Amino acid sequence: KQEVTQIPAALSVPEGENLVLNCSFTDSAIYNLQWFRQDPGKGLTSLLLIQSSQREQTSGRLNASLDKSSGRSTLYIAASQPGDSATYLCAACNQAGTALIFGKGTTLSVSS
Amino acid sequence: GAVVSQHPSRVICKSGTSVKIECRSLDFQATTMFWYRQFPKKSLMLMATSNEGSKATYEQGVEKDKFLINHASLTLSTLTVTSAHPEDSSFYICSATEVGTNNQPQHFGDGTRLSIL
């Protein structure tokens, strides 16, 4: 059974810092790995999707990497801003592409 | 594009009430819709997967008679929490995938906060 773990659970940084959020998964047989942002009381916004055959994806200040063999993914946020404050969720998609297994998230707070 | 609308955003009801939550794909046809439940400080847990015109597939431990799902059209799925009790209070989120995309990516609604008194 796939299990997804995110470390740390919470992170506070000053504005401008570069930071890394970690995600690990127990079953490397995945279809893709996805990163989402969730603001308090809101739904999910898709940030990056890495196919199982890819190593990384970039969007603006965000870069996500995937190492299937070690069961790890990282989300790198460059030059953090207060507007980046949110909970970041990673989710591993099963090989059939039918189910997303989510981690508990990392709650990020960026102070100005 | 690919907007999913979920309604209502917040519900507060007395115990024993049945509550219906709607999930609509506004600008695309959705082959599949997913219903998730999220407890505070916990991860999203998939409850069920619904395909238009067929019965929903429920995850282990989810009572299908408690959580009724109807996916009557390619743009609408509903989740009805029957005879809701305080332990059903949670954040419910739906997602939808477009026809012809092999279920990727999932587009999420804004969620419904259900509070049962």
Side-chain angles (χ1 to χ4, degrees), chain A residues 68-96:
Chain A
K68 263 192 8 174
S69 61
S70 66
R72 295 176 190 272
S73 176
T74 60
L75 179 66
Y76 176 81
I77 303 177
S80 58
Q81 302 171 358
D84 295 331
S85 299
T87 296
Y88 291 82
L89 298 166
C90 84
C93 186
N94 65 356
Q95 271 202 322

Side-chain angles (χ1 to χ4, degrees), chain A residues 30-77:
Chain A
I30 61 172
Y31 187 74
N32 61 47
L33 191 290
Q34 301 183 34
W35 284 92
F36 296 88
R37 170 183 172 139
Q38 185 176 29
D39 291 291
K42 297 291 186 181
L44 276 63
T45 301
S46 179
L47 296 175
L48 290 164
L49 185 157
I50 313 175
Q51 300 291 357
S52 62
S53 59
Q54 297 175 323
R55 297 284 289 183
E56 65 176 349
Q57 282 287 326
T58 298
S59 176
R61 294 182 293 110
L62 305 179
N63 175 278
S65 68
L66 174 64
D67 184 341
K68 263 192 8 174
S69 61
S70 66
R72 295 176 190 272
S73 176
T74 60
L75 179 66
Y76 176 81
I77 303 177

Side-chain angles (χ1 to χ4, degrees), chain B residues 33-44:
Chain B
M33 290 187 172
F34 303 83
W35 287 96
Y36 295 85
R37 182 174 182 176
Q38 185 179 33
F39 290 106
K41 300 189 185 301
K42 299 289 186 182
S43 60
L44 275 75

Side-chain angles (χ1 to χ4, degrees), chain A residues 1-7 22-27 30 33-35 71 89-93 100-105, chain B residues 43:
Chain A
K1 179 184 173 185
Q2 178 74 275
E3 291 184 6
V4 179
T5 304
Q6 289 186 248
I7 294 173
N22 296 293
C23 173
S24 61
F25 47 96
T26 55
D27 186 351
I30 61 172
L33 191 290
Q34 301 183 34
W35 284 92
L89 298 166
C90 84
C93 186
L100 285 173
I101 309 301
F102 284 85
K104 292 182 182 179
Chain B
S43 60

